[in-house]
Amino acid sequence: MSDSHPELSKQANLNTPLTVLRGVGPNLQRKLSRLKLHTIEDLLYFLPYRYEDRRQLLHISQVKVSTTVQFLGKILSADEVRNGRGRKKVFEMLVSDGSGQILLKWFHYRHEWMKQRYRKGQQLLVVGEVHQFKGRYEILHPELELCSDGNIPIENLRILPVYPLTEGISQKQMRKLCQQVALEYSSCVVTAIPQHIIKRRGLLTLADSLVKLHIPPSDSEIEQLQSGRDVARKTVVFDEFFYLQLGLALRRLGAQFKQGIAFKVNHLYTKPLVDMLPFKLTQAQRSVLSQIKHDMMSEQQMNRLVQGDVGSGKTIVALLACLIAVENKTQAAVVAPTAILAEQHFQQFNHWLSQLGLSAALLTGATTSAERQHILRQLSEGTLDVLVGTHALLQPDVVFHCLGLGIIDEQHRFGVQQRNDLRKKGENADILVMTATPIPRTLSMTVYGDLSLSVIDQLPPGRTPIKTRVVSTGKRSAVLDFVKRELDKGYQGYFVYPLVEESERSDLKAATDSLDTLQRDLGNNYRLGLLHGRLRPHEKEAVMQQFKQHQIDLLVATTVIEVGIDVPNASLMIVEHAERFGLAQLHQLRGRVGRGSAKSYCILVHSDQCGQEGMQRLQVMENNSDGFKIAEADLAQRGPGEFLGTKQAGMVNFKVANLISDGYLLEMARQDAFELVEQPNFIKDKKYKLLLQILHQRWDTRLELANVG
Ligand code: ADP
Ligand code: MG
């Protein structure tokens, strides 16, 4: 930026490679890079994972077994001895401080070096854990510090940081480096969170905090440091969260400022549809719908996320929202992540829309070019009311006559970019995002932080809960017997295999092999179908159609059936190698059954390599049917990056902050940031120029701030 704030120039020093530090050559640099430490900034934010209290110096007479102690002593003897009767040698050192004696022992050592370095009469600072052996106190492999002139090196009597290490770097070395960086470079860190916020939250300056975390003063509260609740760490975490929330707040604000379409609700189509439905909307569906209506009627653009567990009935809510758009003589678009889902939505939508005398079309990668031309013409002329499709719908030549509402289904498969692309297909079209992947609050405040949130927190009545069982692969034949019995009753089922890379040939083979094996084991009475990632969209659709029409009894599939598939007659979900799936994914899979009146079952088959931990994970599925509870457990187990998947992982890449344990700070940062941007003239106020520049530096690409608008 040409008129970049002068303060920002200091920051350049932080991007310097670590070789500028004393004692860091190419060799150490290589080792540090294994810890993802490349620049000064990396090291500055490389915080200790715990601290050791080395403030106390004991007398040898005071030491207790099983505690870590620190004392000063004089070497009485130091030499190699035979270990008992064995041939193994041990290096032993006897030290005394006048109050008592203690034996230090090494099993691994370099003899020459030890002999050279440690001699009788020398003063030592000794740190280690005390053990009792044959009635005597001893310390194995203690840390030693020579005090040549009898003076204790004062920097040892402190709270010492302990860092994660890699081979070839010692704790001492790492401490020295971090100390150097903290002292010499912390002042280059630039942040500009307004003082009133720092005060309100009782925080320190960012630079002081980084210094304190690397070099804790002796009067620090060690428990606070250990628990991560020290104000210094809070400051660093708050700083990270604040900028994220500021970015989200601005994005939200940007959207709010934009003139949207003020729709009118005249019930021209919505009422007839509700009358036609074979069921009554649930209370939850109605309340979410009224939130959507409220947004659509307002002059500001709608940006709303609807979360609802699988089967909570989001589709009908989406359809009703589309009808409001159509009642106002605008068009609606629905984007789904896969061709199968788009097809399915289209079928459902078209079923109702045609009865209302409205028109709908489906646009996917498989649409023929003649069809496509026809659709595009209708679309631009305004004779098409609702367009359902995949990514194909976002291509530049797809031009609407007047897009009023854009809906994105299963948002977690899409990025922010697609949301913007869709919005730009209209003139400030309202945007509705739907997801069946429940997301814990801390995460939704992050990835969907710029959206208003609605939750369909109720399932339609009359659903029988799905019975879930975790079984080992040794029970396979019993499982297959059970499958046969259910299929014999006329029900259908899914048989899911995890494939590491859907696109790989070997996986394709695995899928076909599984099908063959299964067919052999079940016998030829049953019709099996195969659905996998290598199939072309129209092939997938063909298989799905066969399954829907019950020409297939058991659908052997990879995770492509994960989201949204709705076949009420399917009552069985068998997942092989269940331990390889995330819990949220398993929940999605399970949501494919239990959609009809039949009693439904989900059998999670784990392999022998599953392990205790894996079993416990799967048991979460046995004991819970609530998607939110499962999501919490999944997030805790896998961490935010994995939980979200690659598309959105960038938004949760914090240097220090932890979305799970630091959630309370995220709430605070959000409140403060949203309040701040609501100040009149916030964007233009000179006072906040630096703050905004830092925001852009830190989050431009990750938040796609440049695309806002
Ligand atoms: P999801 O939220 O997973 O997308 P769907 O919209 O596919 O759920 O709905 C699941 C099933 O529940 C569909 O067969 C749908 O027709 C039915 N359904 C939706 N709303 C209700 C309701 N209020 N009462 C009864 N059934 C409903
Ligand atoms: Mg759905």
Side-chain angles (χ1 to χ4, degrees):
M1 234 175 277
S2 57
D3 60 343
S4 158
H5 199 284
E7 273 281 295
L8 282 177
S9 60
K10 293 199 296 191
Q11 274 193 149
N13 295 319
L14 296 177
N15 292 327
T16 332
L18 290 169
T19 40
V20 298
L21 296 175
R22 289 184 299 281
V24 182
N27 198 10
L28 187 52
Q29 184 185 33
R30 209 169 324 113
K31 289 175 189 164
L32 288 165
S33 71
R34 286 205 298 258
L35 291 168
K36 300 206 170 80
L37 300 172
H38 307 288
T39 65
I40 295 287
E41 181 171 36
D42 294 339
L43 205 54
L44 195 55
Y45 280 92
F46 186 66
L47 298 184
Y49 68 96
R50 67 183 179 89
Y51 293 87
E52 271 179 20
D53 194 348
R54 296 280 181 85
R55 290 173 295 187
Q56 281 248 18
L57 207 53
L58 294 181
H59 291 298
I60 294 181
S61 61
Q62 295 172 303
V63 307
K64 292 196 190 85
V65 177
S66 300
T67 57
T68 298
V69 299
Q70 173 168 249
F71 59 86
L72 202 59
K74 192 184 251 179
I75 302 180
L76 297 183
S77 67
D79 210 349
E80 194 170 61
V81 297
R82 271 187 202 292
N83 187 11
R85 273 163 298 159
R87 233 171 298 162
K88 256 198 118 106
K89 288 177 181 161
V90 182
F91 195 90
E92 289 193 352
M93 191 185 286
L94 191 63
V95 293
S96 156
D97 68 349
S99 81
Q101 296 181 355
I102 200 161
L103 192 64
L104 313 180
K105 271 188 189 172
W106 285 261
F107 297 107
H108 311 282
Y109 55 93
R110 281 182 291 154
H111 186 210
E112 279 313 307
W113 192 82
M114 292 293 276
K115 259 191 102 70
Q116 280 267 328
R117 187 169 167 86
Y118 301 112
R119 299 203 201 99
K120 192 173 160 181
Q122 276 174 326
Q123 285 275 0
L124 287 174
L125 185 70
V126 182
V127 182
E129 194 184 332
V130 181
H131 295 276
Q132 198 162 22
F133 184 66
K134 292 188 177 161
R136 278 197 347 171
Y137 282 176
E138 59 181 39
I139 299 178
L140 309 181
H141 290 264
E143 266 179 58
L144 299 184
E145 197 75 45
L146 280 171
C147 320
S148 44
D149 44 7
N151 287 330
I152 309 161
I154 189 74
E155 73 267 19
N156 281 288
L157 295 184
R158 292 194 303 125
I159 296 174
L160 286 186
V162 182
Y163 297 92
L165 297 175
T166 179
E167 209 183 311
I169 302 181
S170 71
Q171 195 57 250
K172 240 187 219 171
Q173 234 176 335
M174 190 60 101
R175 261 178 213 145
K176 262 203 177 137
L177 286 178
C178 290
Q179 190 164 346
Q180 190 185 339
V181 166
L183 291 175
E184 293 174 15
Y185 290 93
S186 60
S187 59
C188 299
V189 171
V190 182
T191 185
I193 299 182
Q195 270 311 310
H196 73 270
I197 294 178
I198 300 290
K199 271 228 191 75
R200 176 196 302 166
R201 300 301 181 188
L203 303 173
L204 307 174
T205 68
L206 186 56
D208 289 350
S209 300
L210 289 166
V211 173
K212 184 178 179 192
L213 290 167
H214 286 295
I215 315 170
S218 288
D219 59 357
S220 309
E221 300 244 5
I222 184 126
E223 291 78 21
Q224 297 278 28
L225 280 170
Q226 298 289 29
S227 66
R229 297 235 163 181
D230 187 274
V231 63
R233 189 173 173 283
K234 279 191 198 169
T235 302
V236 177
V237 171
F238 186 90
D239 193 82
E240 285 199 279
F241 282 154
F242 184 82
Y243 281 97
L244 166 66
Q245 291 301 332
L246 185 65
L248 292 168
L250 284 174
R251 223 162 64 182
R252 166 97 145 246
L253 192 71
Q256 272 175 10
F257 275 155
K258 257 176 251 138
Q259 185 83 33
I261 306 161
F263 292 101
K264 298 211 167 49
V265 174
N266 55 28
H267 304 294
L268 186 59
Y269 299 119
T270 48
K271 181 150 192 319
L273 178 78
V274 169
D275 291 344
M276 270 193 287
L277 288 176
F279 48 74
K280 267 178 58 188
L281 294 179
T282 62
Q283 180 55 40
Q285 282 170 320
R286 272 185 285 143
S287 83
V288 168
L289 205 59
S290 79
Q291 289 166 352
I292 293 172
K293 266 187 204 159
H294 178 269
D295 282 3
M296 290 184 76
M297 289 165 76
S298 115
E299 291 195 346
Q300 288 165 359
Q301 209 178 64
M302 172 166 77
N303 265 297
R304 184 168 286 279
L305 170 71
V306 175
Q307 273 196 42
D309 212 341
V310 282
S312 60
K314 292 182 292 297
T315 317
I316 263 336
V317 172
L319 178 59
L320 284 162
C322 288
L323 290 180
I324 297 175
V326 174
E327 283 170 357
N328 286 265
K329 305 210 162 37
T330 66
Q331 296 163 301
V334 182
V335 188
T338 66
I340 293 182
L341 272 182
E343 160 83 27
Q344 187 175 286
H345 280 321
F346 171 71
Q347 299 287 354
Q348 272 195 56
F349 272 49
N350 200 36
H351 171 78
W352 299 113
L353 291 172
S354 59
Q355 296 182 60
L356 295 167
L358 299 172
S359 60
L362 174 71
L363 188 69
T364 70
T367 309
T368 64
S369 89
E371 252 179 336
R372 192 166 187 278
Q373 285 317 315
H374 180 64
I375 291 172
L376 292 188
R377 196 167 53 246
Q378 285 187 307
L379 197 62
S380 61
E381 285 168 357
T383 47
L384 189 63
D385 299 307
V386 180
L387 181 61
V388 182
T390 56
H391 287 92
L393 196 152
L394 297 174
Q395 279 162 7
D397 61 338
V398 178
V399 179
F400 290 79
H401 175 68
C402 177
L403 180 68
L405 173 70
I407 298 182
I408 294 183
D409 193 23
E410 307 298 349
Q411 156 78 6
H412 65 293
R413 299 287 188 93
F414 294 98
V416 180
Q417 180 68 56
Q418 278 99 352
R419 226 196 284 161
N420 287 323
D421 288 349
L422 185 57
R423 175 179 304 131
K424 286 178 191 153
K425 295 256 172 225
E427 235 173 279
N428 299 329
D430 277 355
I431 295 291
L432 192 63
V433 168
M434 302 197 298
T435 177
T437 313
I439 289 191
R441 185 171 158 76
T442 47
L443 264 196
S444 58
M445 279 196 298
T446 309
V447 276
Y448 302 129
D450 57 339
L451 302 174
S452 327
L453 181 66
S454 295
V455 182
I456 307 185
D457 53 5
Q458 181 185 23
L459 294 181
R463 299 266 163 94
T464 31
I466 301 158
K467 219 177 174 71
T468 302
R469 281 288 165 269
V470 177
V471 303
S472 89
T473 185
K475 297 255 167 64
R476 186 179 153 94
S477 68
V479 170
L480 292 186
D481 284 342
F482 181 72
V483 170
K484 283 194 220 169
R485 279 204 299 278
E486 287 303 301
L487 297 185
D488 288 341
K489 288 184 202 160
Y491 297 125
Q492 293 164 275
Y494 302 94
F495 212 100
V496 177
Y497 287 89
L499 298 184
V500 189
E501 267 300 326
E502 277 181 11
S503 58
E504 277 177 16
R505 210 172 283 261
S506 61
D507 284 333
L508 176 60
K509 185 165 168 356
T512 15
D513 283 356
S514 314
L515 180 80
D516 293 345
T517 314
L518 205 55
Q519 185 81 69
R520 203 188 54 221
D521 293 349
L522 285 172
N524 286 329
N525 286 342
Y526 306 97
R527 296 160 300 176
L528 270 53
L530 181 61
L531 197 64
H532 62 79
R534 298 265 294 187
L535 293 178
R536 291 163 180 282
H538 70 269
E539 293 172 321
K540 285 184 196 166
E541 269 155 44
V543 176
M544 270 324 293
Q545 281 312 325
Q546 285 178 312
F547 188 63
K548 278 188 180 174
Q549 290 157 14
H550 204 162
Q551 291 157 3
I552 291 173
D553 301 306
L554 194 60
L555 188 63
V556 179
T558 68
T559 50
V560 289
I561 62 155
E562 189 185 324
V563 281
I565 299 291
D566 191 23
V567 179
N569 191 48
S571 67
L572 268 179
M573 170 61 66
I574 320 286
V575 184
E576 287 257 320
H577 287 292
E579 73 277 5
R580 294 196 204 156
F581 291 90
L583 291 182
Q585 230 176 347
L586 288 174
H587 182 63
Q588 284 292 319
L589 285 171
R590 180 169 61 184
R592 298 310 110 216
V593 297
R595 302 190 148 239
S597 50
K599 176 120 198 64
S600 293
Y601 302 89
C602 173
I603 303 178
L604 304 174
V605 186
H606 66 81
S607 72
D608 296 333
Q609 290 98 346
C610 174
Q612 197 58 30
E613 213 178 291
M615 286 291 292
Q616 274 168 11
R617 233 163 52 82
L618 292 179
Q619 255 130 36
V620 172
M621 296 298 299
E622 246 181 21
N623 303 329
N624 285 291
S625 56
D626 179 342
F628 279 91
K629 287 218 182 77
I630 292 169
E632 295 276 0
D634 199 28
L635 177 64
Q637 283 169 1
R638 294 196 299 162
E642 282 256 332
F643 180 92
L644 288 172
T646 46
K647 278 265 159 55
Q648 290 160 335
M651 294 188 72
V652 291
N653 262 339
F654 298 105
K655 291 196 281 261
V656 174
N658 178 323
L659 267 184
I660 300 165
S661 50
D662 298 321
Y664 70 108
L665 289 168
L666 183 65
E667 298 263 7
M668 290 180 196
R670 181 174 179 83
Q671 193 188 333
D672 293 347
F674 276 68
E675 212 177 280
L676 187 67
V677 303
E678 267 157 33
Q679 289 189 6
N681 274 325
F682 168 75
I683 300 266
K684 302 215 177 85
D685 197 330
K686 280 218 174 61
K687 218 170 29 189
Y688 299 122
K689 190 171 163 199
L690 180 58
L691 184 74
L692 288 172
Q693 288 190 352
I694 296 171
L695 170 69
H696 278 277
Q697 261 187 3
R698 294 201 198 176
W699 284 99
D700 244 1
T701 40
R702 279 187 289 174
L703 276 188
E704 302 178 33
L705 289 176
N707 293 316
V708 177

